[in-house]
């Protein structure tokens, strides 16, 4: 969720058709919730919707850059919606966020809106937005494509002081680039402000209370919304939760352990399928992957799509990308076979590029820069390289294949020009309506224990468990999860706490 090298990518990467529900009901929305003092002009604005193709409508909603200075500079939040199919039976807007931070909510809705259940699409406008600093909403842009290529290729499992110093230099460069190119935005791109923006959007789109689906980092955003505006919660589904109590480095360590769990599940699947090229037991497969990564650290792989060499860091990123979605496991088997047998990293590099939204022309979306900018200001960071290195050492012991890569990927935050001194604390959202948290037991990017923790912290939290693989559960085709979530979103009636879908 935090490190730029291991962004929690959008929940819908491989999307199965979602199943709708036949339940009717819910609370019809009108914009009558209280308006914070001094923000009336923002809350009462009337968006001008325009057709933007394929049945979608787009607009821009204005919010203050700095909520303490609402008359100052403004940020335009890009919004898209697929209007409800039955206007006469419309309940309101279903706001969505796909994760990241840094994932484009407008792109998500264009890709995924029609995979939501039929009854949801009948009763709700499916709404996506790019949070401040992301994609079409005044994006944070710090690095060139060449600079990001260099950053991602840098060895982030340093074996000696020289490699550590090189990594530190890249982290400083990243931070300095953002200080130079995004000075005005950096203090204001954090999740607290994004949650306040979401309340402005709720009111501007005419909803009395918020109905919301958030995946991965989107759960963090949703939880912060509920904490700040508990009375404005109608129904929130938080899928693949992030634990707000975790420190910045503890979060990275736990995420690395999640990738190890997912790799073990991948190995088990390979062995179970038979003719596994990497070993005849789970431990043998893991040993093969470890040996391959160590060899790639010494001798990077070639690739056939451009002049880049596939370093150990890029190879690890490619493996991680495939672990997000179980449907990618056959692709990962092919990619590893190509890399191990032919020293050809083309498929792994393609996966890595997809993860960080690198385009074929060598340019990147704003995802990486925005991800780092938001994460670095959301929580306190270690004060220096030495302290940070201790966390990386701990991570390597806990997660030998992914620990160093995940933790060192967040190193630019040590040198970030804007620091947050407020320590993480539980989010309770006292007074909020029931909030459903979905946790996937073998989720690589947001470990299941985080969903358990968030559901426990929330005063009205309800835990819904998916005993499965991959990152997040909703929209991945499991009828049990989809039916329970859809019924709740439509009626605001949650499933029984502790329900497990298998």
């Amino acid at each position: 969720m935090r490190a730029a090298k291991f962004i929690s990518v959008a929940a819908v990467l491989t999307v199965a058709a979602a199943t709708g529900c036949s339940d009717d009901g819910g609370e019809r929305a009108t914009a009558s919730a209280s308006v914070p003092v001094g923000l009336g002009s923002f809350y009462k604005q009337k968006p001008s919707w325009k057709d933007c193709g394929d049945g979608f409508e787009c607009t821009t909603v204005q919010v203050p850059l700095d909520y303490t200075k609402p008359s100052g500079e403004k940020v335009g939040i890009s919004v898209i919606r697929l209007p409800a199919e039955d206007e006469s039976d419309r309940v309101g807007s279903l706001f969505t966020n796909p994760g990241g931070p840094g994932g484009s909510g407008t792109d998500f809705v264009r890709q995924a809106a029609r995979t939501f259940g039929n009854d949801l699409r009948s009763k709700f406008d499916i709404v996506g937005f790019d949070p401040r600093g992301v994609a079409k909403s005044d994006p944070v842009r710090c690095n060139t494509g060449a600079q990001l290529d260099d950053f991602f290729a840098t060895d982030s499992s340093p074996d000696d002081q020289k490699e550590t110093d090189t990594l530190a230099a890249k982290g400083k460069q990243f931070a300095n680039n953002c200080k130079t190119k995004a000075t005005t935005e950096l203090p204001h791109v954090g999740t607290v402000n994004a949650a306040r923006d979401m309340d402005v959007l709720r009111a501007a789109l005419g909803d009395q209370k918020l109905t919301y689906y958030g995946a991965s980092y989107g759960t963090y955003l949703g939880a912060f919304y509920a904490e700040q505006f508990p009375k404005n919660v109608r129904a929130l589904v938080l899928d693949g939760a992030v634990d707000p109590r975790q420190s910045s480095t503890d979060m990275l360590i736990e995420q690395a352990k999640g990738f190890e769990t997912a790799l073990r599940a991948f190995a088990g699947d390979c062995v179970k399928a038979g003719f596994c090229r990497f070993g005849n037991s789970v431990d043998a497969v893991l040993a093969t992957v470890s040996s391959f990564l160590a060899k790639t650290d010494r001798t990077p792989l070639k690739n056939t799509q451009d002049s880049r060499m596939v370093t150990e860091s890029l190879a690890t990123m490619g493996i991680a990308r495939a672990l997000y979605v179980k449907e990618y496991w056959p692709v990962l088997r092919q990619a590893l076979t190509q890399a191990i047998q032919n020293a050809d990293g083309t498929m792994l590099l393609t996966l890595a590029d997809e993860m960080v939204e690198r385009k074929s022309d060598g340019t990147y979306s704003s995802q990486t820069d925005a991800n780092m900018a938001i994460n670095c200001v959301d929580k306190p960071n270690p004060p220096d390289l030495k302290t940070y290195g201790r966390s990386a050492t701990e991570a390597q012991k806990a997660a030998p294949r992914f620990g160093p890569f995940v933790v060192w990927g967040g190193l630019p935050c040590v040198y970030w020009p804007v620091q947050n001194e407020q320590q993480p604390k539980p989010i309770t959202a006292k007074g909020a309506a029931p909030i459903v948290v979905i946790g996937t037991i073998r989720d690589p990017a947001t470990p299941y224990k985080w969903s358990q923790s968030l559901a426990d912290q929330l005063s009205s939290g309800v835990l819904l468990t998916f005993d499965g693989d991959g990152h997040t559960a909703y929209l991945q085709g499991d009828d049990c999860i989809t039916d329970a979530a859809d019924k709740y979103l439509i009626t605001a009636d949650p499933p029984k706490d502790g329900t497990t879908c298998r």
Side-chain angles (χ1 to χ4, degrees):
M1 172 261 181
R2 185 170 185 276
K5 293 197 180 182
F6 283 85
I7 295 167
S8 289
V9 292
V12 178
L13 293 162
T14 300
V15 184
T19 304
C21 305
S22 59
D23 298 73
D24 204 346
E27 179 182 342
R28 195 168 295 278
T30 57
S32 60
S34 61
V35 176
V37 175
L39 298 176
S41 63
F42 296 99
Y43 272 72
K44 295 175 183 178
Q45 62 188 299
K46 302 297 182 184
S48 176
W49 294 97
K50 296 181 179 179
D51 181 284
C52 52
D54 198 24
F56 292 95
E57 297 174 346
C58 296
T59 193
T60 300
V61 173
Q62 299 295 315
V63 297
L65 174 67
D66 184 347
Y67 274 93
T68 68
K69 300 175 182 178
S71 61
E73 189 173 344
K74 297 176 178 59
V75 176
I77 303 298
S78 181
V79 186
I80 190 172
R81 71 180 179 188
L82 183 66
E85 294 179 351
D86 185 355
E87 182 62 29
S88 66
D89 199 27
R90 180 180 177 275
V91 175
S93 304
L94 173 60
F95 289 82
T96 63
N97 180 277
S104 170
T106 59
D107 288 350
F108 170 79
V109 163
R110 277 199 182 275
Q111 178 189 8
R114 290 187 172 90
T115 67
F116 284 83
N118 291 333
D119 282 353
L120 276 179
R121 288 186 287 123
S122 175
K123 298 174 187 297
F124 289 90
D125 301 338
I126 309 299
V127 176
F129 63 97
D130 293 337
R132 57 171 61 208
V134 174
K136 302 177 187 69
S137 297
D138 290 359
V140 173
R141 288 279 191 180
C142 307
N143 297 282
T144 66
Q147 287 170 331
L148 289 176
D149 282 349
D150 186 40
F151 176 74
F152 286 124
T154 301
D155 188 347
S156 53
S157 61
D159 301 313
D160 53 40
Q161 190 59 48
K162 181 179 178 180
E163 291 185 350
T164 301
D165 290 343
T166 298
L167 194 57
K170 301 301 181 184
K172 289 178 182 178
Q173 181 185 31
F174 194 122
N176 287 335
N177 288 346
C178 285
K179 180 180 179 180
T180 300
K181 298 181 180 180
T183 301
T184 302
E185 300 100 309
L186 292 186
H188 307 292
V189 295
T191 301
V192 170
N193 282 332
R196 297 191 71 172
D197 295 343
M198 195 153 61
D199 201 52
V200 173
L201 294 177
R202 171 199 59 76
L205 270 60
D207 290 74
Q208 180 182 1
K209 294 189 176 184
L210 184 74
T211 305
Y212 173 79
Y213 168 75
S216 194
Y217 163 80
T219 68
Y220 194 67
L221 176 59
F224 268 79
Y225 179 90
E227 184 79 341
Q228 294 182 77
F229 305 101
K231 298 300 183 183
N232 294 352
V233 169
R234 177 187 172 274
L236 308 186
V237 170
L238 308 181
D239 183 12
V242 173
D243 185 354
R245 294 188 300 190
Q246 294 270 317
S247 72
S248 59
T249 49
D250 284 348
M251 181 176 293
L252 295 177
I253 293 169
E254 287 299 324
Q255 188 175 50
K257 290 161 65 175
F259 280 106
E260 293 284 349
T261 297
L263 183 63
R264 180 169 286 274
F266 161 79
D269 181 75
C270 184
V271 171
K272 183 179 179 181
F275 305 107
C276 184
R277 296 173 180 269
F278 317 117
N280 57 8
S281 69
V282 170
D283 286 341
V285 173
L286 297 179
T288 297
V289 173
S290 294
S291 177
F292 158 68
L293 290 173
K295 183 177 179 180
T296 306
D297 187 25
R298 297 188 298 270
T299 308
L301 307 171
K302 64 184 180 182
N303 93 90
T304 59
Q305 65 185 32
D306 57 34
S307 62
R308 289 177 294 164
M309 299 299 291
V310 182
T311 64
E312 181 188 13
S313 291
L314 290 171
T316 304
M317 192 189 305
I319 294 170
R321 166 64 187 91
L323 293 176
Y324 272 89
V325 185
K326 189 174 182 179
E327 285 74 12
Y328 270 40
W329 289 5
V331 178
L332 179 56
R333 287 197 290 271
Q334 295 177 41
L336 286 173
T337 299
Q338 181 188 66
I340 293 171
Q341 293 188 350
N342 303 323
D344 184 346
T346 303
M347 289 184 69
L348 286 175
L349 184 62
T350 299
L351 287 166
D353 286 350
E354 182 178 313
M355 185 167 179
V356 293
E357 296 186 3
R358 185 189 190 273
K359 304 171 188 176
S360 58
D361 63 1
T363 63
Y364 287 75
S365 75
S366 67
Q367 182 193 54
T368 294
D369 290 339
N371 174 274
M372 194 71 76
I374 295 166
N375 280 321
C376 289
V377 300
D378 264 358
K379 292 187 177 185
N381 300 294
D384 52 46
L385 180 64
K386 184 177 180 180
T387 305
Y388 201 92
R390 287 198 288 267
S391 293
T393 299
E394 181 181 349
Q396 186 166 25
K397 293 176 181 177
R401 282 158 287 269
F402 292 100
F405 300 93
V406 176
V407 172
W408 283 115
L411 182 60
C413 291
V414 172
Y415 310 107
W416 210 248
V418 180
Q419 294 289 335
N420 182 349
E421 301 301 328
Q422 186 173 352
Q423 294 299 316
K425 61 182 180 180
I427 285 182
T428 63
K430 186 176 181 180
I435 297 172
V436 172
V437 180
I438 304 177
T440 298
I441 288 181
R442 292 174 295 280
D443 190 314
T446 50
Y448 177 63
K449 63 190 296 185
W450 288 359
S451 292
Q452 292 176 301
S453 178
L454 180 58
D456 184 60
Q457 291 170 53
L458 292 166
S459 61
S460 58
V462 175
L463 181 63
L464 175 61
T465 297
F466 177 49
D467 186 357
D469 300 284
H471 183 38
T472 74
Y474 186 69
L475 293 183
Q476 301 298 341
D478 182 82
D479 288 347
C480 174
I481 290 291
T482 304
D483 290 348
D486 283 2
K487 179 179 179 181
Y488 163 68
L489 289 169
I490 292 169
T491 67
D493 182 21
K496 182 180 178 181
D497 184 29
T499 298
T500 297
C501 294
R502 293 180 170 84

